[in-house]
Structure formats: C-alpha cells, structure tokens
Amino acid sequence: AAVLDPTTTRYQEKVDGSIVTVYPYDGRWEVQTSGTPDASGPVVRRENFHKRWEPAEGVSSPMPPTFADDFWQVANLRHPGLFSSDHAPPRSMCFTFELTGPLNRIVVRHKYAQITLLGGRNLITGVEMTVDQASWWLDKRVPKVREYQFKG
C-alpha cells in the first residue's frame, strides 16, 4: 500500500449522497455512478415517474427516472450551462461530484438538491486534480467539498 505523506495529504468532508462522475464520450458529456457506467439506475420507483418534485425552493420539476436525469436536472437548475459548449471544460478531463437531495437520501436528509465538486482527473495524463484545480476548470461555479490538512 502507498504511504501517505502527511505534509501533502488532504482529507475531504463526507458529503452524504451519490457519487457521480461526468466524463466525455462520443462528443458529449455523460454521467456515471459508482453502480452503473451510464447512471441509468432508477432514482425512484417506477410508479413515481409521473410525479413532480421540488429540487430547489419554489421549483417544481418532473421526477427524474434515472440518476443521469437527476444529475442533469440539478446541474442545469443550479449551474446553467456548466457543461454547455460555451462554458465546457476540455474533453480531456472528467469531474467527480456528490449528488445530494431528497431523492437519493443515504443518511442525511437534504431538503433540496445540489451537486458538490469532489475533484477531477486529466484523462490523457491520468493525473488527479485537486478540488481547487477542478473548480478552476468549471469556472468556480460549483460548491466545493470542504478539505482539511492532516495535523499530526
């Protein structure tokens, strides 16, 4: 196992939600979860697909059937144009977020939906980006996870 360097190791707050990665594929941005490469897993039961929900205060939206739909609905509501052609980062990168909200509660109840940036990776070099570096590529438009320096 790798030895951690306490002078450079950073620790992130656990944001209680679903981890999703946005990655380039075939000329467009795609979403994956830890469970499916295309985030096609259902967010809610099929009988609830026709219902509406409130991802933000005063906003009524159709119930997203999949995690990919949930992510894009929240990202487009909270951060319009985040991955549009006008503002998109280079397609040589992927970005990891925590998707939180009332539809995907793990332990903590979230009244409204949000995405929190956890980090990113350069897909050409394989080098991981810090959350601050990833945030720069996203024009600092998405809330970042809190990070802590180890103090031994």
Side-chain angles (χ1 to χ4, degrees), residues 86-151:
D86 293 342
H87 301 283
R91 293 188 189 267
S92 58
M93 300 179 179
C94 66
F95 299 89
T96 303
F97 301 89
E98 195 81 6
L99 172 64
T100 55
L103 298 183
N104 62 321
R105 180 176 70 88
I106 307 301
V107 175
V108 176
R109 291 185 187 273
H110 298 277
K111 186 170 182 178
Y112 300 115
Q114 182 60 274
I115 58 173
T116 303
L117 181 63
L118 302 179
R121 184 173 299 277
N122 182 310
L123 297 172
I124 295 171
T125 65
V127 174
E128 186 175 351
M129 291 182 272
T130 66
V131 70
D132 288 329
Q133 291 167 333
S135 179
W136 185 86
W137 285 105
L138 298 174
D139 295 330
K140 301 179 181 179
R141 295 174 58 202
V142 179
K144 301 180 300 185
V145 66
R146 282 186 236 155
E147 286 191 323
Y148 304 93
Q149 183 86 32
F150 179 73
K151 296 188 174 140

Side-chain angles (χ1 to χ4, degrees), residues 18-23 25 30-43 65-72 95-97 99:
S18 300
I19 193 166
V20 298
T21 300
V22 178
Y23 63 96
Y25 179 75
E30 295 288 343
V31 180
Q32 74 173 38
T33 63
S34 57
T36 56
D38 61 358
S40 62
V43 177
T66 68
F67 278 96
D69 296 323
D70 189 10
F71 175 83
W72 289 121
F95 299 89
T96 303
F97 301 89
L99 172 64

Side-chain angles (χ1 to χ4, degrees), residues 8-82:
T8 59
T9 301
R10 309 234 356 127
Y11 300 89
Q12 293 184 339
E13 171 187 35
K14 170 60 178 130
V15 180
D16 191 46
S18 300
I19 193 166
V20 298
T21 300
V22 178
Y23 63 96
Y25 179 75
D26 200 23
R28 63 186 183 277
W29 292 98
E30 295 288 343
V31 180
Q32 74 173 38
T33 63
S34 57
T36 56
D38 61 358
S40 62
V43 177
V44 295
R45 291 187 173 132
R46 185 172 299 283
E47 62 266 20
N48 292 325
F49 284 177
H50 70 281
K51 294 183 178 178
R52 296 187 70 78
W53 74 301
E54 193 172 335
E57 187 172 1
V59 176
S60 176
S61 296
M63 191 71 70
T66 68
F67 278 96
D69 296 323
D70 189 10
F71 175 83
W72 289 121
Q73 197 176 79
V74 174
N76 290 329
L77 173 70
R78 298 277 188 190
H79 316 286
L82 185 63

